[in-house]
Amino acid sequence: MQDELRRLHRELGTTFVFVTHDQEEALALSSNIAIFNQGRLQQLGSPSEVYERPSNRFVAEFLGDINILPVEGVGRDAKVEGQAIALPAPQGSARSHVAIRPEHMRLARPGEAGNALPMRLVDQIYLGAESRLQLQTRGGVPIVLNIPNSATPNAIEVGSEVLVGWDAQNSFLI
């Protein structure tokens, strides 16, 4: 049905208003997405713009999975749980959390470029082509990481500590 709606939209060249609570369907079918909260418009933009650069925490949490870490300090002094991190630009003191989509995080090695935090593996869920790792920072913040099964180390066990990394450009401040 989604393919047929996309084809009709392309061929007819007219505006469609499609209301759905299915996030994947909204991303797949839309040229623009409007996110509302209690009748108020929160963000309007292309699917990639709204997903990758949400305007606020509500939009970030509403559209897809998101990891949100509290940030202390700004600029070069920014830290998460005492660990120095690089923030995406622009930086501002009013925004106190950094958000990263699960697919933009990875298992990291010590000394690897980018941000990295030690976390404890709480659970590992096999999903076929990928696995969903449920983790927890030392401070207790829950984190979800989606990784291809080809990149999942066999030796990783629930309860063990791993290093989770991400690049600053794949995160955003909220």
Side-chain angles (χ1 to χ4, degrees), residues 44-120:
L44 174 66
S46 70
S48 62
E49 183 181 4
V50 174
Y51 182 80
E52 298 291 342
R53 296 290 175 238
S55 61
N56 60 45
R57 187 175 183 141
F58 175 82
V59 175
E61 291 177 326
F62 180 79
L63 195 59
D65 291 329
I66 193 76
N67 295 308
I68 299 176
L69 295 164
V71 176
E72 302 158 5
V74 294
R76 294 176 188 241
D77 296 325
K79 293 181 179 179
V80 171
E81 296 186 0
Q83 178 75 37
I85 64 161
L87 293 174
Q91 299 169 4
S93 59
R95 298 179 181 230
S96 61
H97 292 82
V98 63
I100 315 104
R101 297 278 181 201
E103 65 271 15
H104 292 306
M105 299 182 95
R106 65 184 178 281
L107 293 176
R109 292 185 174 91
E112 189 177 301
N115 295 319
L117 288 175
M119 300 187 193
R120 184 177 59 81

Side-chain angles (χ1 to χ4, degrees), residues 113-131:
N115 295 319
L117 288 175
M119 300 187 193
R120 184 177 59 81
L121 181 64
V122 174
D123 199 7
Q124 182 172 343
I125 303 161
Y126 179 81
L127 299 172
E130 68 180 15
S131 282

